[in-house]
Each structure stands twice: as C-alpha cells, then as structure tokens.
C-alpha cells in the first residue's frame, strides 16, 4: 500500500510517526482494512529504529485504531475511522432539503442475488439465461477495437451516430415511430430520459398529469422536482383524458401496455389525448417500456406515430429486451424541446458510455436484436399462456386477469377479499416471489391484486410456484 509519512529532524520520532498514522486513519486516508507495512520495512524506509515503529503500532493497536493478525500483519481496524468531528446533516443549511430526499422511498427495487426467491414473479426483469452472451461478446470486442482507434476526446451528448441510426431503424420497424437519428438522444436507461425531459419542462409548482395507478419512480421524480403531480384514473380504454386538469404542462402515459394494469389505450382515447395536449401546450411523455413483445391481435403502433404537431416525447429502453444492468435507453424528441434536452444531457453527464453504445449499434445492425426478441417472444408466449391457464383454472376463485396483449407482466385483480400482504409473506417463506398491485395506486382507490411478471421466472418453475400460491390461498381463506 502507499503510505506517506514524513519524519522531520531526529526529535520525537515516535510521536511524529504516531500523529501522522493516527491522522491518516481518522481522516480516512488509510481506509478500514488497509494493511500497514511490516515494522522492519517501514523503519528502513523512514530511517528510524524498528522499536520506534513497533511501539507506535502497539500504541495505535491499544487504542483500537489498528489490529494485528497473527501470520498476516497489521491492519487498520474496521471500526477505527472517527467521524465525530464531521458535520451532521442537521448542522447544514440545506438540512430540510436533505431530509426531503432522505425520506423518499425506493420503490420497485430488485432484490439482490442472496435474497431473491428462486421462483420469482418479479416484473421488469429478464432471465439471464435468455441473454445472447456469445453475440454480445462479439459486439463488445468490436466496440473495444473501435475505441482503441478513437481520438480519446469526449463523445457527443446525443450519442453515437451509428447507434442513433440503428435505433431509428429498429423502432420504425417494430413500433412505427417516425423519426431520424437527428431526433434521438441516447440515455442511461429510460429513467434518465424521463429525468432530462422533466428538467427542461417543469418548474416548481408545475402541474403534471400521470396515470393512476402508475409508475412510482417517475411520480417520485416529478415530486422531487417540485411539481404538482395529479393522478388521473384509467379505465379499460386507458387514461381518462377528460380528467386531465387545466394548466397541465406535462402528461406521462404508457399507452401500449398500461403500467401496471396492462390494457392498451384505445385509438379514440389516443386521439383525444393528443388534442388535449395541443390545447394545453403540454408535452406528452410516451413510455414504451416493453411493448415489443405482443401476443394477440394486430400490432398497435406508438402514440408518437399519430402525433402530427410535435407534442410527444417517445421514451424507450433496452433494459427489458436485453439486460437492466446495461443501462441503455433513448428518447425521440419533438423539435421544440430537443435543444434544451440535449443541453441538459451535456450538463448532467456529458454523454453515455461509448463502449456499450458501439456494442449495441453493431448488435442491432447485425440483426441480433430482432433475432433475440423473436426468441424471447416464443419463450414469453409459453409462460404467459401457462399463467393465464392457471388463473382461469384453479386460481380463478380468487383472481380476475386484466386483459393485456403486450409486455411480460400481467395484472390479476382480486375477485374476493384476499389478505395480499399475508399471501406475499407466506409465499416468500416458500421461496416464491409475489408482488402487490396496491403500491402503484396513489390518488385513486386501491384495487387489490398481484402484478405477475414472467420475464425472469423459468418456465418449469411456473406451475410449482402457482401450486404454492393456490395452497396458501386455500389455507388463509
């Protein structure tokens, strides 16, 4: 390890060494767990006696700042770092703002590998076994070669032209989005795209309308920016456009696969939404998070494809089609806000990492993405059908399924009173992960039920897991 100690003169050698080591430990310069040099080596480097170093180590060990481990050496104690002299949050002028952020919940977090049930109906996640490792590895190696030949300067905030061109072609084919690469900004997941749009559109007190039930993280983000968030109810046709309040500046919707209930927004309701946004001077965020997977009926194009006046900002992600850890998303922006969003992107993180951008550009252009989507579609179709069969069969006394034709989660509403928290707890004890619908409701009355994801659970685990759910329901009545 690097240890910087300066001995001045020949007086108080032990005291000089003691004070410098103690200061380094308490300041965090020597982090917990760091190994100090052997006393003989440090004495030789400093030009002092070995006894001076040994006595200093002994004093610091007695005070609990160091710990000796037989046969291994001397280490900074894990409990040694002193923080008493540091300011607390309450001492700062921004204490109220810090408390506001600290109090925010963290909804929809994914469990870690150690705590995750082996049979998990979590939504928004895919099975790693589905990920095309070999194809992605080839694309990543190609990206490394490209970067090695690059200039070494920062890249463009809107993203690599190769990736934006590939995205434009892909979403035009798969979702009917009308755009060119010049309309696209590559982001670190869809969440950053939502954040950037909100930054340039919202001010404190601005009215935002969003679906209720809806996506909790985006509601919290709007709240944190000081917006006045209004939950607008949904029905079988999607967002109730007639209930969007006057003065709304931003409207957040998931029209292709309403989150979390799953029904698509009807064409008349889409037309009404576009007309209402135009009348309000509002921007509509279309979060098209997982609608590339469609199972029934004629494919429905994006809301953006119907927009003739430039009011829709289309947001997409590759977290659902590939892996959440890649953190790759994008937004197709109307001309009115493109420049402002681009400046916000540049100021917040300059640009997204170019290595995964180059890899994804090749992955799309070589046809690997469409091939992967087709393969996953076949798998998800089988899982979805099996879950629907069970919900229409032995689980039908308790649940009704909300009709849905896309994505890889579905909503099951309670037909009779069910103690959902008890059901979830008992299922977790049996190594089955279930998730409630109630957490997605804010202003409208809660409808109890389950959000059942089928992207991460293996097909062969579905029936045993649902057997557990059925048996628990019978036991708890």
């Amino acid at each position: 390890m690097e240890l910087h100690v300066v001995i001045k003169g020949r007086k108080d050698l032990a005291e000089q060494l003691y004070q410098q080591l103690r200061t380094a430990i308490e300041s965090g310069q020597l982090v917990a767990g760091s190994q100090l040099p052997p006393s003989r080596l440090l004495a030789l480097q400093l030009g002092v006696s070995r006894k001076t170093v040994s006595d200093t180590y002994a004093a610091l060990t007695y005070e609990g700042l160091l710990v000796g481990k037989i046969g291994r050496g001397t280490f900074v104690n894990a409990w040694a770092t002193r923080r008493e002299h540091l300011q607390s949050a309450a001492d700062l002028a921004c204490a109220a703002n810090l408390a506001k952020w600290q109090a925010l919940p963290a909804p929809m977090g994914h469990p870690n590998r150690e705590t995750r049930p082996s049979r998990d109906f979590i939504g928004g996640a895919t099975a790693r076994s589905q990920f095309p490792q070999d194809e992605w590895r080839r694309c990543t190696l190609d990206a490394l070669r490209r970067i090695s030949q690059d200039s070494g300067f920062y890249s463009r905030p809107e993203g690599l032209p190769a990736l934006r061109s590939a995205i434009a072609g892909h979403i035009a084919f798969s979702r009917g989005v009308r755009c060119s690469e010049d309309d696209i900004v590559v982001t670190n997941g869809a969440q950053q795209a939502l954040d950037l749009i909100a930054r340039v559109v919202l001010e404190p007190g601005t009215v935002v309308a969003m679906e209720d039930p809806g996506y909790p993280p985006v509601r919290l983000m709007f709240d944190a920016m000081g917006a006045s968030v209004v939950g607008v109810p949904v029905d079988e046709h999607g967002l109730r456009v007639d209930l969007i309040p006057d003065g709304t500046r931003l409207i957040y919707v998931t029209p292709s696969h309403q989150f979390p209930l799953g029904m698509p927004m009807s064409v008349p309701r889409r037309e009404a939404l576009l007309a209402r946004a135009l009348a309000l001077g509002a921007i509509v965020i279309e979060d098209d998070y997982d609608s590339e997977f469609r199972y029934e009926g004629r494919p429905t194009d994006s809301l953006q494809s119907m927009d003739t006046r430039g009011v829709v900002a289309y947001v997409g992600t590759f977290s659902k089609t590939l892996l959440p850890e890649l953190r790759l998303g994008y937004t197709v922006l109307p001309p009115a806000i493109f420049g402002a969003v681009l400046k916000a992107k540049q100021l917040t993180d300059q640009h997204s990492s170019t290595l995964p951008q180059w890899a994804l550009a090749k992955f799309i252009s070589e046809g690997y993405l469409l091939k992967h989507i087709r393969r996953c579609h076949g798998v998800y179709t089988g899982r979805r059908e099996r879950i629907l069969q069970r919900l229409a069969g032995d689980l039908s006394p308790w649940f009704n399924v909300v009709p849905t034709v896309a994505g890889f989660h579905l909503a099951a509403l309670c037909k009779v009173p069910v103690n959902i928290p008890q059901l979830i707890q008992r299922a977790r004890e049996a190594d089955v992960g279930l998730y409630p619908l109630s957490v997605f409701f804010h202003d409208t009355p809660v409808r109890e039920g389950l959000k059942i994801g089928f992207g991460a659970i293996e097909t062969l685990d579905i029936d045993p897991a649902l057997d557990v759910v059925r048996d628990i329901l019978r036991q708890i009545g």
Side-chain angles (χ1 to χ4, degrees):
M1 62 165 291
E2 294 293 334
L3 179 61
H4 183 69
V5 176
V6 178
I7 299 296
K8 298 180 180 179
R10 305 305 300 171
K11 294 183 178 181
D12 300 322
L13 301 181
E15 179 66 17
Q16 290 187 54
L17 180 58
Y18 169 84
Q19 290 296 343
Q20 292 187 57
L21 288 178
R22 183 187 179 98
T23 299
I25 293 170
E26 292 183 341
S27 68
Q29 180 183 351
L30 288 177
V31 299
S34 298
Q35 183 176 10
L36 272 65
S39 58
R40 186 187 302 275
L41 175 60
L42 184 58
L44 181 63
Q45 291 174 339
L46 298 178
V48 300
S49 71
R50 183 182 180 188
K51 184 177 184 303
T52 298
V53 178
S54 298
D55 288 348
T56 302
Y57 280 7
L60 292 170
T61 301
Y62 177 78
E63 294 177 4
L65 298 174
L66 298 179
V67 60
K69 299 182 180 180
I70 297 175
R72 296 181 58 193
T74 303
F75 297 81
V76 178
N77 195 342
W79 303 101
T81 302
R82 303 292 178 88
R83 304 179 65 89
E84 291 86 351
H85 62 288
L86 300 179
Q87 289 278 76
S88 70
D91 298 324
L92 299 177
C94 59
N97 206 45
L98 294 175
K100 180 191 75 173
W101 280 93
Q102 186 69 26
L104 290 176
M108 300 181 63
H110 283 190
N112 58 42
R113 183 177 300 177
E114 290 73 24
T115 62
R116 177 182 170 185
S118 61
R119 297 167 294 183
D120 200 358
F121 289 105
I122 192 168
T126 57
R128 188 168 292 276
S129 59
Q130 299 291 110
F131 186 69
Q133 297 281 1
D134 293 338
E135 292 90 340
W136 184 256
R137 186 180 298 109
R138 285 196 290 270
C139 294
T140 301
L141 290 174
D142 180 75
L144 287 169
R145 286 192 292 270
R146 289 179 179 274
I147 288 177
S148 68
Q149 300 165 5
D150 218 342
S151 63
F153 299 130
Y154 286 113
S155 187
R156 301 166 66 165
E158 62 266 40
L160 296 175
L163 177 56
R164 289 185 289 121
S165 176
I167 290 173
H170 172 70
I171 59 180
F173 171 78
S174 63
R175 300 295 302 122
V177 175
R178 300 187 301 174
C179 69
S180 71
E181 64 181 79
D182 296 330
D183 303 313
I184 294 174
V185 174
V186 177
T187 59
N188 299 317
Q191 198 72 16
Q192 189 191 36
L194 299 171
D195 176 82
L196 293 173
I197 296 167
R199 281 175 186 265
V200 304
V201 172
L202 301 183
E203 295 174 330
T206 298
V207 177
V208 176
M210 65 175 292
E211 299 161 325
D212 193 3
Y215 184 48
V218 78
R219 170 181 280 277
L220 290 170
M221 182 185 70
F222 295 149
D223 278 335
M225 291 183 177
S228 175
V229 185
V230 177
V232 179
V234 299
D235 60 20
E236 65 273 17
H237 299 291
L239 183 80
R240 288 281 307 276
V241 174
D242 58 307
L243 297 180
I244 296 175
D246 293 338
T248 296
R249 188 179 292 185
L250 187 64
I251 305 168
Y252 173 84
V253 290
T254 52
S256 296
H257 186 218
Q258 198 281 328
F259 187 90
L261 297 181
M263 63 280 190
M265 184 181 289
S266 66
V267 172
R269 193 65 62 84
R270 293 177 183 226
E271 293 171 344
L273 173 59
L274 293 173
R276 179 64 171 151
L278 185 64
L280 291 168
I283 288 293
V284 178
I285 295 179
E286 177 184 10
D287 189 351
D288 202 26
Y289 60 100
D290 69 353
S291 57
E292 287 172 308
F293 301 104
R294 187 174 181 86
Y295 309 102
E296 298 176 16
R298 186 181 66 83
T300 302
D301 284 343
S302 63
L303 176 68
Q304 190 268 0
S305 67
M306 301 173 61
D307 177 23
T308 60
R309 301 299 296 272
V311 298
V312 175
Y314 178 90
V315 173
T317 179
F318 295 98
S319 295
K320 306 298 185 290
T321 49
L322 293 172
L323 282 178
E325 296 99 316
L326 293 177
R327 303 309 302 143
L328 283 169
Y330 59 92
T331 178
V332 181
L333 298 166
I337 67 170
F338 184 91
V341 171
L342 188 62
K343 184 60 65 70
K345 170 69 175 174
Q346 187 173 18
L347 290 176
T348 51
D349 72 348
Q350 190 66 41
H351 62 80
S352 298
S353 174
T354 57
L355 176 62
Q357 285 192 63
W358 278 120
L360 182 58
K362 184 175 179 63
F363 192 82
I364 296 173
S365 61
E366 294 290 326
Y368 296 139
L369 179 60
L370 285 177
K371 179 181 177 182
H372 172 64
I373 290 172
R374 286 194 295 268
R375 183 168 57 244
C376 289
H377 185 277
V379 174
Y380 296 157
T381 297
R383 294 176 183 174
R384 174 179 178 270
E385 289 177 354
R386 189 58 197 144
I387 293 171
L388 289 174
Q389 288 171 4
R390 293 295 300 270
L391 288 170
D394 56 348
L395 294 174
S396 62
W398 296 279
F399 295 110
N400 270 329
V401 178
V402 178
T404 181
V405 295
F408 50 94
H409 82 261
L410 51 84
L413 297 173
C414 292
K415 295 168 66 172
V416 296
V418 175
N419 188 331
I420 294 295
Q422 184 181 10
L423 171 62
I424 291 173
Q425 178 61 36
R426 298 267 306 263
R428 182 60 61 98
E429 293 169 358
D431 205 24
V432 174
L434 296 178
Y435 300 87
L437 276 177
S438 58
V439 298
F440 304 109
F441 290 81
H442 193 270
D443 297 320
T444 59
V446 171
R447 301 178 68 185
E448 293 289 355
L450 297 174
K451 175 174 173 279
I452 303 176
F454 47 89
I457 190 168
E458 296 295 341
T459 304
L460 293 178
D461 288 333
I462 290 175
D463 276 318
L466 292 181
D467 288 344
V468 169
V469 174
R470 177 202 59 210
D471 293 344
I472 295 171
L473 286 166
R474 287 173 176 171
Q475 292 166 14
I476 67 176

